[in-house]
Amino acid sequence: MLLVITVSLAYTLLGILVGLLLIMLLAKSLLGIVVIGEMQVGVVAKKFSSRNLAAGRLIALEGEAGYQADTLAPGWHFFLWPWQYAITKEPVVIVPQGEIGLVVANGGEPIPPSHILAREIDCDNFQDARAFLTKGGEKGRQVGMLTAGTYRINTALFSIITQRNAATMGMRPEELFIYRVAPDAVGIVTTLDGIPIAPGEIAGPVVPNHNNFQDAQAFLDAGGSRGLQEQVLLSGSWNLNPWFCRVQQVAMTEIPIGHVGVVISFVGKPAVDVSGADFTHGNLVEVGHKGIWATPLYPGRQPLNTEIMKVELVPTTNIVLNWANRTEAHGYDSSLSSITVRSRDGFSFNLDVSQIIHVAALDAPRVISRVGSMQNLVNNVLEPIVGNYFRNSSQEYTVLDYLTNRAERQHDAATFIRNALAAYNVQAVDTLIGDIVPPQQLMTTQTDRKLAEEQRKTYEVQQVAQTQRQALVRETSIADIQNSLVQSEQGVNIAELNANAQVKKVRGEAEAAKLRAGGEAEAIRLRAIADAEATRLRGAGEAEAIRAIGNAKAEAYRVGVEALGTREFTGLQLMQIIGDRQVKIVPEVQANGGGAGAGGGLVEALIGLLAQQQMGQLNAPTPAAPTTSPVAPEAPSASSEPKGE
């Protein structure tokens, strides 16, 4: 029983569900129910109506057959019978962060011929199609655009281009991103819509209140011009409609240290000259006017529109220009070369010249107004002034005068050029004459003369060197023997000292001896007196005795002579003396004249004499020390008596 009830209940419930489903299906058809999701928008197309759209109209505003201006919001909608309405559920339009969405209107009023883009209409960012159409919205590309967000757009009226579908709509995906200007750059803007630029102008004037070209409609309403714009975009991110404007990024204008920038503006307010009556070589204007600005730009980065103004850099430091075969880093003198001049004596030679100039910061606009650029200043002012001066002045001097008096020529040139450049608001700091290249023949002659003179000087120097070398050799020799000389001098000094010591010693000894001798002399004198007296007495006695002996001998000699005779007695006395003195009368060695068989001769005599000397040396006794006062042997008295007596 329970099983039967359960089966019956199940069938009943199933029948109810099927019934409800059938009722819902019938209700959708009978009641025209349409359900729109939260992220959807319902685009309504009416299949038939008692009224048709007018020619050229795409969207129905009054219930005409066709696409309806009003869309279906999320939720349940009734009485949209499928036999009368076709409902298309489109996803909402999502523009991601960092991107923009471009809009193309498929319906609306035609765009006027003077316009490129359709003017913006207050229609809730294209979400109110009815307001767009009723307020005069124009078909085609819209000047307005969608920024990041979610939009419920009637896709029957508007086509939305985003980064995802850009390629299919003939756009580059990168054009649908927010435009970013780099920190060190400026954006030069060219608008593609607006009124034509005024005749004689190259860029549109600055238009206020358009939020840096992000509000294109405000720009157009304010009378903005199409084409190049005077206003620039600075660093940042900007929501720009690529159909409305294009941006070219360029680097900021950098004014280096040691320079100023003279601005030449091609746009701006009408030119009003502020240079004064004394300056007749150009016009200077205030900042913002067309022309050369009287106030220069100082070092730093300037956000300038380089398409409508030009900046001439003018160095405010000293500039060196070389008329030679070298070029400075600034390159202004790249076209300059050595100056060929002709001297008074008819020689042609080359001069290397360096000119140092200075342009003051406040004088820079006047210089640019007068000559146009620094390169023009060098080519059109400095080159003719400097070159012609040296060509003219060199004809008054000879080549050798330039060589020997270059400082004077340089001073004259500096004075002349300083006065000439002052008229151009340029300060001539200094003029320097560098290398002078005289004719080779003249230099050969001068070189030969100089070489001869230098050779003469060389010979003189060599002579002095030789003299000095001789003095050096002499001094070296003296230095070499200095040691010996010093030793000798020291030896002499020592000897002198020793001698002086000896002298002093001898003097001392002599003094002592003198004193001793004095005492001894006194004693000896006394003794001598005594001895003399004794000797006198002895002498008197001996004299008396000798006199007696002499008288006796004399008497004896007289008697002998008388007895023997003078000759005989003399011979007798000689014999006695020979005997007493042992005088050898016969020689020990005799040399004969020699003859045949005689034996002996001079040789035998010499041999015998040599042998006798050798024997005498062997037998000779050791000589005794000599006595202090040897006494000579007493000669025999002539009165000695003969032995025979």
Side-chain angles (χ1 to χ4, degrees):
M1 186 64 179
L2 181 60
L3 179 60
V4 173
I5 294 174
T6 302
V7 173
S8 298
L9 182 60
Y11 281 114
T12 301
L13 292 175
L14 181 59
I16 294 172
L17 291 176
V18 172
L20 291 174
L21 181 60
L22 291 175
I23 292 172
M24 289 179 64
L25 292 175
L26 291 174
K28 182 177 180 181
S29 299
L30 295 176
L31 299 177
I33 298 174
V34 176
V35 180
I36 304 299
E38 293 181 357
M39 298 301 291
Q40 293 178 335
V41 59
V43 178
V44 180
K46 195 172 185 180
K47 297 181 179 180
F48 60 90
S49 176
S50 60
R51 291 176 295 177
N52 295 324
L53 288 172
R57 300 288 298 275
L58 177 65
I59 304 298
L61 294 174
E62 302 297 335
E64 300 92 342
Y67 286 107
Q68 302 299 302
D70 299 323
T71 59
L72 300 179
W76 289 57
H77 299 272
F78 298 92
F79 310 114
L80 296 175
W81 296 280
W83 47 267
Q84 186 179 10
Y85 297 97
I87 307 301
T88 304
K89 298 179 181 180
E90 298 287 347
V92 296
V93 175
I94 299 175
V95 179
Q97 291 292 330
E99 298 182 17
I100 60 173
L102 300 180
V103 180
V104 177
N106 301 319
E109 301 295 331
I111 297 177
S114 60
H115 296 172
I116 303 299
L117 300 176
R119 296 301 181 255
E120 187 174 357
I121 301 297
D122 184 12
C123 57
D124 191 19
N125 289 314
F126 304 100
Q127 296 181 105
D128 188 349
R130 179 174 294 277
F132 177 84
L133 294 174
T134 57
K135 293 180 180 180
E138 300 168 348
K139 66 176 63 175
R141 294 181 176 182
Q142 301 296 303
V143 72
M145 62 182 182
L146 300 177
T147 56
T150 302
Y151 303 92
R152 300 185 184 279
I153 304 295
N154 187 340
T155 56
L157 177 59
F158 300 109
S159 297
I160 307 302
I161 304 174
T162 62
Q163 187 268 342
R164 290 183 295 276
N165 64 348
T168 60
M169 303 296 289
M171 299 285 293
R172 297 193 307 272
E174 58 269 19
E175 293 180 312
L176 279 302
F177 288 102
I178 292 177
Y179 191 85
R180 290 179 173 84
V181 179
D184 57 348
V186 294
I188 299 176
V189 180
T190 301
T191 58
L192 306 178
D193 201 355
I195 64 175
I197 295 176
E201 299 292 340
I202 64 172
V206 176
V207 176
N209 302 323
H210 55 81
N211 195 15
N212 290 302
F213 303 98
Q214 295 182 108
D215 189 348
Q217 188 60 51
F219 176 85
L220 297 173
D221 293 341
S225 302
R226 72 182 65 176
L228 181 65
Q229 298 298 306
E230 183 177 347
Q231 183 178 351
V232 296
L233 289 178
L234 301 182
S235 174
S237 300
W238 312 98
N239 290 313
L240 301 179
N241 188 336
W243 290 335
F244 169 68
C245 64
R246 299 288 184 179
V247 181
Q248 174 190 1
Q249 290 195 45
V250 297
M252 287 188 179
T253 300
E254 182 175 358
I255 311 298
I257 296 176
H259 293 71
V260 294
V262 178
V263 178
I264 305 172
S265 179
F266 306 122
V267 300
K269 301 176 183 178
V272 178
D273 185 22
V274 296
S275 61
D278 58 337
F279 186 74
T280 59
H281 305 285
N283 295 331
L284 300 178
V285 299
E286 294 291 346
V287 175
H289 290 255
K290 185 186 299 185
I292 299 176
W293 292 357
T295 303
L297 299 178
Y298 291 93
R301 288 184 174 180
Q302 307 291 339
L304 301 181
N305 188 338
T306 56
E307 295 293 330
I308 63 171
M309 59 182 60
K310 178 182 178 182
V311 177
E312 278 291 336
L313 293 179
V314 178
T316 55
T317 56
N318 289 348
I319 305 173
V320 180
L321 303 171
N322 296 312
W323 278 259
N325 294 325
R326 64 181 183 275
T327 302
E328 297 293 332
H330 50 66
Y332 294 138
D333 54 357
S334 59
S335 61
L336 302 180
S337 60
S338 298
I339 304 173
T340 302
V341 300
R342 185 178 296 275
S343 64
R344 187 177 63 187
D345 47 1
F347 289 103
S348 295
F349 60 98
N350 293 332
L351 288 177
D352 286 355
V353 178
S354 294
Q355 178 65 50
I356 305 175
I357 64 173
H358 172 72
V359 179
L362 296 179
D363 289 334
R366 293 177 177 265
V367 173
I368 298 303
S369 176
R370 184 165 187 163
V371 298
S373 67
M374 288 300 295
Q375 191 63 57
N376 290 342
L377 175 67
V378 175
N379 296 340
N380 302 335
V381 177
L382 282 163
E383 198 282 330
I385 288 178
V386 175
N388 289 335
Y389 169 78
F390 282 102
R391 293 186 187 96
N392 295 335
S393 63
S394 63
Q395 296 181 357
E396 301 177 4
Y397 307 100
T398 63
V399 179
L400 295 181
D401 181 69
Y402 256 98
L403 292 173
T404 57
N405 300 311
R406 180 168 64 176
E408 297 179 7
R409 305 290 80 78
Q410 180 174 288
H411 179 268
D412 295 343
T415 302
F416 176 85
I417 295 173
R418 184 178 299 110
N419 296 331
L421 292 183
Y424 293 87
N425 301 103
V426 177
Q427 302 174 19
V429 179
D430 203 356
T431 302
L432 305 174
I433 298 177
D435 191 17
I436 300 177
V437 185
Q440 184 62 35
Q441 295 178 350
L442 180 62
M443 285 307 299
T444 301
T445 303
Q446 294 298 316
T447 302
D448 293 342
R449 182 183 303 172
K450 188 64 176 179
L451 288 176
E453 182 180 353
E454 293 299 325
Q455 287 179 351
R456 179 180 61 79
K457 293 181 180 179
T458 301
Y459 296 152
E460 293 176 355
V461 172
Q462 289 178 348
Q463 182 179 3
V464 173
Q466 290 296 332
T467 303
Q468 293 179 350
R469 190 180 67 82
Q470 293 174 0
L472 177 62
V473 171
R474 182 170 61 254
E475 294 298 329
T476 303
S477 300
I478 293 174
D480 292 340
I481 65 174
Q482 189 68 28
N483 187 26
S484 300
L485 181 61
V486 171
Q487 292 180 354
S488 299
E489 290 179 352
Q490 294 299 322
V492 171
N493 293 334
I494 293 172
E496 289 180 354
L497 293 175
N498 291 334
N500 292 334
Q502 290 295 331
V503 168
K504 292 181 179 180
K505 180 179 179 182
V506 170
R507 287 178 180 175
E509 292 177 353
E511 189 68 23
K514 180 179 179 181
L515 294 176
R516 287 195 302 270
E520 292 177 355
E522 184 65 23
I524 291 172
R525 187 178 66 79
L526 295 176
R527 286 196 301 270
I529 293 173
D531 291 342
E533 185 65 23
T535 301
R536 186 181 65 77
L537 295 177
R538 285 194 302 270
E542 290 179 357
E544 187 64 28
I546 291 171
R547 184 168 56 251
I549 293 172
N551 292 330
K553 287 183 178 181
E555 185 64 25
Y557 285 148
R558 186 182 63 75
V559 173
V561 170
E562 291 178 353
L564 296 178
T566 303
R567 181 175 181 181
E568 286 79 5
F569 185 77
T570 302
L572 180 61
Q573 290 294 323
L574 292 172
M575 291 300 294
Q576 185 177 356
I577 293 170
I578 291 170
D580 293 339
R581 302 294 184 183
Q582 296 180 0
V583 177
K584 294 180 181 181
I585 300 175
V586 180
E588 294 179 357
V589 180
Q590 181 177 0
N592 297 323
L602 181 59
V603 175
E604 288 82 355
L606 292 174
I607 294 173
L609 181 59
L610 181 62
Q612 184 180 3
Q613 291 178 351
Q614 294 292 331
M615 292 299 295
Q617 293 177 356
L618 294 175
N619 297 325
T622 302
T627 59
T628 304
S629 54
V631 179
E634 183 181 357
S637 176
S639 60
S640 298
E641 297 181 357
K643 293 182 179 182
E645 296 183 9

